[in-house]
Amino acid sequence: MFQPKYPDSPTPPPAHTHAPTDPAPVRRGLPALSADQKTVVAVLVGGVVLTALLAAVAVTAVSVAIAAVVLRSLLREHNRR
């Protein structure tokens, strides 16, 4: 009952043959970059400056949020009186 039923005649083999594929292309490496010391220093300084600006924005956002919570609390207390 639960055994598979096979067809009476087997299927014929495929008529086409597989053609050999072309060999994979040779991967070339990236060209060598000639970065002098001034370029490296400029990139590092730029990264440090951008990181400092991002930290300043984050600190400012946190301080503004705290100030807003404090002011809301003070105004709520003032309106209750």
Side-chain angles (χ1 to χ4, degrees):
M1 179 175 168
F2 292 107
Q3 292 183 356
K5 295 182 180 180
Y6 296 106
D8 293 333
S9 62
T11 57
H16 66 280
T17 58
H18 294 286
T21 59
D22 293 334
V26 177
R27 298 187 76 185
R28 297 181 188 160
L30 295 175
L33 294 175
S34 59
D36 58 347
Q37 187 176 5
K38 290 180 182 179
T39 305
V40 173
V41 170
V43 169
L44 289 177
V45 169
V48 169
V49 168
L50 288 176
T51 304
L53 287 174
L54 181 63
V57 168
V59 168
T60 302
V62 169
S63 64
V64 167
I66 291 173
V69 169
V70 170
L71 284 175
R72 187 175 66 175
S73 174
L74 289 175
L75 289 175
R76 185 181 303 160
E77 292 294 325
H78 180 70
N79 289 338
R80 286 185 184 175
R81 292 183 194 179

